[in-house]
Amino acid sequence: MGLADLTSMNDLVSLCKQRGFIFQSSEIYGGFGGCWDFGPLGVELKLNVKNSWWKAMTFREDVVGVDASILMHPTVWKASGHVDGFSDPLVDCKSCKERFRTDQINLSAPCPKCGAKGQFTESRDFNLMFKTQVGPVENTASIAYLRPETAQGIFVNFLNVQSSMRKKLPFGIAQIGKAFRNEITPGNFIFRTREFEQMEMQYFIKPGEQKEAMEMWKTARWNWHLENGLRGEKLRWAPHPPDKLAHYADAAVDIEYEFPIGWGEMEGIHSRTDFDLKAHQQFSGKNQQYVDQVDGNKKYIPYVIETSVGCDRHILALLCDAYRVENAGNPETERTVLMLRPSIAPIKVAMMPLMKKAELEDVAQKLFQDIQKKYRAEYDTAGSIGKRYRRQDEIGTPYCVTVDYDSLKDQAVTVRDRDSMTQERVGMDKLVQYLQDHLKL
Ligand code: GAP
C-alpha cells in the first residue's frame, strides 16, 4: 500500500469545494479576490482548530483571553506604526495597469501579465490597511480601519485585564479574531487572503526576561503544531535576520510549513520589547506602567513575547498534510483520504444503514442519536456503501459504522477504520464506549 502526498494545490481546492469545506467567496458573481467562505465541514474544522488553540493557550494559570472589537480608535494604528509603516512597495505596468509588489518582480524583465517591456511606474508605498468610515458624516474625523492584526486589541486592554484579573507578571492575554489586509497579491488558496483569522497571544514579562520566555513559547508552539497532526519533517524554524526585523521587534522566528508551493510562514514568535505599550502611553497620555510588588513596587513598562498564528494558514497546512492518495494510479484501489487527527476531523463518526430499509434504519437512527450526544456525527444513506466510504475518507471521518441484516440477529454493527480500512464487529451496547476508546476524545 503506497501513500502519496498532495502535490498540487488545485487538487485540494477542488476537494474542499466538492466536499463542503471551503468555497470561493461570492462565487455566483465570479468570486471576490482574496476572500473565501468556509462551508459546513470547513466551519467544523475551524472550530476544532480554534478550540485546540484556545485550550493549549488558556488552560493554564498564566494566560487569560479577550475578544476585542475589530474597529478601534484610529490613533491606535498611528501609535502601532501601521498608518505610517504598514505598506508594501508597489509598481504598476503602464501598459496593462496590473499591479505588482516591487520585491516580487524583476523590473528589467517584461511584464509577467502582458509582456510589455520597460513599462513599470516608479515604486511607491501602498498601505495594506482597509479604511472605512464610522458614523454618517464622511470626513477625516470619521475614518477608521479594519484591524490588520488582533494584537493591538490586547495591548490597549493590558491594564484593564491586569487589574480586573489581578494578574502578576509574567502573564499572557490570548485572542482569536478576524484581521484584514489589502494584500496586493493574495493567492495560493487560503494561504494569503484579504480577510483571515489570527490566533494571537501577548505574554507580558519583566524587561530582561525575554530570552527565557521566548524559548518557553517556541517549544509550546512547535509542540502544538505536532499535536494537531502536522508531520515534524514538514516543519522548520526560520529566524528573522537582524536587518529584516519588524520595527517593533528585537528578535523573531517563524515556524514554517512545507506547502506544495514551497516553505511558507505559518506562525511568528516575536520579541516585541515595550514598543507597543510605550507607544500607546505616548499617544494616549495614559500611563501603561506596571507596579511590580514582588520587586519593591518598581514601576516599568513590561516587555512582550508574542505568538501569532494564522488560523486559516494552519488549516491549510493541516489539509495539505492530511491529504493522501493511496495506491495512486491503480483505478481499482486508488482512494483519497484526509488523514486528520480525530480531534481535528469535522465529522467523527458516520452512521450508515446498509440499505434504505425501515428495519435497518430504525436501528441505525437509534444508534446515531446515541453517538450524536457525544460526537459530531453524520447519518448517510445515499449511494452504494463503497461510495459512502469514499466520501467519508475524503472528508477525514475516522470511523464508519454499518448496520446490516446480521445486526438484527446478533445485535452488533461493523466499525470501519479510515486509515487501515480494517473492519471490526462491535456489539451495539458497546458501540459508544468503543468509539470513545478509539477516538480518545
Ligand atoms: N501581530 C503580529 C502579526 O500580525 P504577521 O507575521 O504579520 O504578524 C501573523 O502575521 C500570522 O498571520 C502569519 O504567520 C500568518 O499565519 C497569518 N497571516 C498574515 N497575513 C495573512 C494573510 N494575508 N492571509 C492569511 N494569513 C495571514
Side-chain angles (χ1 to χ4, degrees):
M1 176 184 90
L3 274 184
D5 281 359
L6 176 73
T7 49
S8 149
M9 199 67 104
N10 287 341
D11 292 345
L12 182 65
V13 175
S14 79
L15 180 137
C16 284
K17 180 182 158 138
Q18 264 177 27
R19 297 304 190 197
F21 280 91
I22 301 168
F23 310 123
Q24 205 183 4
S25 160
S26 322
E27 193 187 292
I28 59 167
Y29 289 97
F32 196 60
C35 298
W36 296 86
D37 296 342
F38 281 74
L41 296 186
V43 73
E44 297 287 345
L45 178 72
K46 204 178 212 191
L47 278 173
N48 293 340
V49 166
K50 289 186 195 174
N51 282 337
S52 128
W53 187 86
W54 195 253
K55 203 167 164 192
M57 301 304 279
T58 69
F59 284 25
R60 41 186 293 158
E61 231 179 313
D62 57 351
V63 181
V64 290
V66 294
D67 182 14
S69 63
I70 289 172
L71 297 173
M72 302 175 75
H73 194 289
T75 310
V76 167
W77 306 109
K78 197 83 191 133
S80 69
H82 285 83
V83 170
D84 298 322
F86 192 57
S87 51
D88 277 343
L90 182 85
V91 288
D92 291 342
C93 170
K94 286 185 193 158
S95 177
C96 69
K97 312 285 182 230
E98 185 76 7
R99 288 196 158 163
F100 302 96
R101 264 174 61 173
T102 316
D103 54 349
Q104 287 179 349
I105 188 172
N106 179 357
L107 293 173
S108 43
C111 168
K113 176 123 190 268
C114 72
K117 284 194 188 129
Q119 291 279 339
F120 296 109
T121 57
E122 285 284 299
S123 176
R124 63 193 190 287
D125 284 338
F126 171 77
N127 196 295
L128 299 183
M129 282 197 295
F130 282 104
K131 259 187 206 163
T132 187
Q133 157 216 330
V134 172
V137 188
E138 266 189 71
N139 60 30
T140 49
S142 63
I143 279 180
Y145 301 94
L146 301 187
R147 66 181 177 198
E149 62 170 10
T150 56
Q152 297 305 323
I154 290 178
F155 287 122
V156 299
N157 278 303
F158 163 66
L159 282 180
N160 280 337
V161 173
Q162 189 268 322
S163 60
S164 61
M165 302 305 287
R166 299 164 297 137
K167 283 288 176 203
K168 297 212 165 27
L169 256 47
F171 78 92
I173 305 177
Q175 174 168 223
I176 301 176
K178 290 267 186 177
F180 304 82
R181 297 183 189 178
N182 197 0
E183 299 281 2
I184 299 159
T185 47
N188 289 318
F189 197 21
I190 53 168
F191 182 84
R192 180 168 287 108
T193 55
R194 293 192 168 120
E195 174 175 341
F196 54 98
E197 273 183 277
Q198 287 188 317
M199 305 190 287
E200 297 200 298
M201 192 268 323
Q202 322 298 132
Y203 198 67
F204 298 91
I205 55 173
K206 194 172 175 175
E209 292 179 355
Q210 54 269 45
K211 271 214 173 83
E212 226 182 339
M214 183 109 173
E215 284 314 309
M216 174 180 83
W217 283 109
K218 273 171 66 180
T219 308
R221 297 308 306 142
W222 181 271
N223 290 341
W224 180 78
H225 291 283
L226 295 180
E227 277 155 26
N228 276 359
L230 295 181
R231 283 172 277 173
E233 67 267 25
K234 296 244 173 208
L235 295 177
R236 73 175 184 195
W237 291 110
H240 294 203
D243 60 325
K244 292 262 163 40
L245 286 173
H247 58 279
Y248 51 73
D250 71 354
V253 60
D254 293 335
I255 298 177
E256 292 189 342
Y257 176 79
E258 192 178 18
F259 294 94
I261 46 165
W263 289 93
E265 173 190 338
M266 193 169 45
E267 169 149 14
I269 300 154
H270 313 122
S271 174
R272 287 181 83 126
T273 68
D274 56 1
F275 175 88
D276 302 87
L277 287 181
K278 217 179 195 170
H280 288 306
Q281 174 168 287
Q282 187 195 335
F283 279 79
S284 69
K286 302 276 165 22
N287 190 349
Q288 297 297 304
Q289 285 176 319
Y290 170 77
V291 182
D292 193 337
Q293 291 165 351
V294 183
D295 190 4
N297 285 338
K298 225 190 207 163
K299 288 184 185 169
Y300 53 81
I301 294 184
Y303 269 37
V304 169
I305 300 298
E306 167 184 74
T307 72
S308 173
V309 57
C311 183
D312 314 73
R313 252 205 224 163
H314 176 70
I315 287 173
L316 183 61
L318 288 173
L319 289 170
C320 290
D321 211 80
Y323 186 109
R324 306 293 181 82
V325 182
E326 197 173 83
N327 300 330
N330 182 335
E332 257 141 62
T333 55
E334 181 177 313
R335 67 171 185 139
T336 302
V337 198
L338 273 192
M339 291 190 170
L340 294 166
R341 288 267 162 102
S343 57
I344 298 295
I347 305 291
K348 317 297 183 198
V349 184
M351 171 55 72
M352 308 173 165
L354 191 64
M355 280 184 264
K356 264 188 172 169
K357 297 280 184 210
E359 58 271 41
L360 297 184
E361 290 220 59
D362 287 349
V363 177
Q365 265 297 338
K366 192 186 160 299
L367 290 170
F368 178 61
Q369 299 307 332
D370 285 347
I371 295 168
Q372 260 200 326
K373 284 185 194 136
K374 201 161 164 58
Y375 299 116
R376 188 72 179 82
E378 221 179 63
Y379 187 80
D380 190 0
T381 55
S384 71
I385 199 82
K387 274 210 177 114
R388 282 183 267 167
Y389 280 151
R390 198 184 185 84
R391 176 171 179 277
Q392 295 301 335
D393 287 344
E394 286 189 10
I395 66 172
T397 306
Y399 292 101
C400 292
V401 178
T402 315
V403 175
D404 54 25
Y405 280 103
D406 284 343
S407 307
L408 306 180
K409 292 180 222 141
D410 65 1
Q411 298 299 303
V413 291
T414 302
V415 182
R416 173 190 180 266
D417 178 279
R418 175 195 69 197
D419 298 347
S420 65
M421 290 198 285
T422 50
Q423 302 195 357
E424 230 182 300
R425 207 70 189 158
V426 179
M428 289 182 199
D429 56 343
K430 303 207 170 54
L431 180 61
V432 173
Q433 188 60 47
Y434 177 95
L435 293 170
Q436 198 171 324
D437 294 345
H438 287 75
L439 289 165
K440 298 189 174 69
L441 296 173

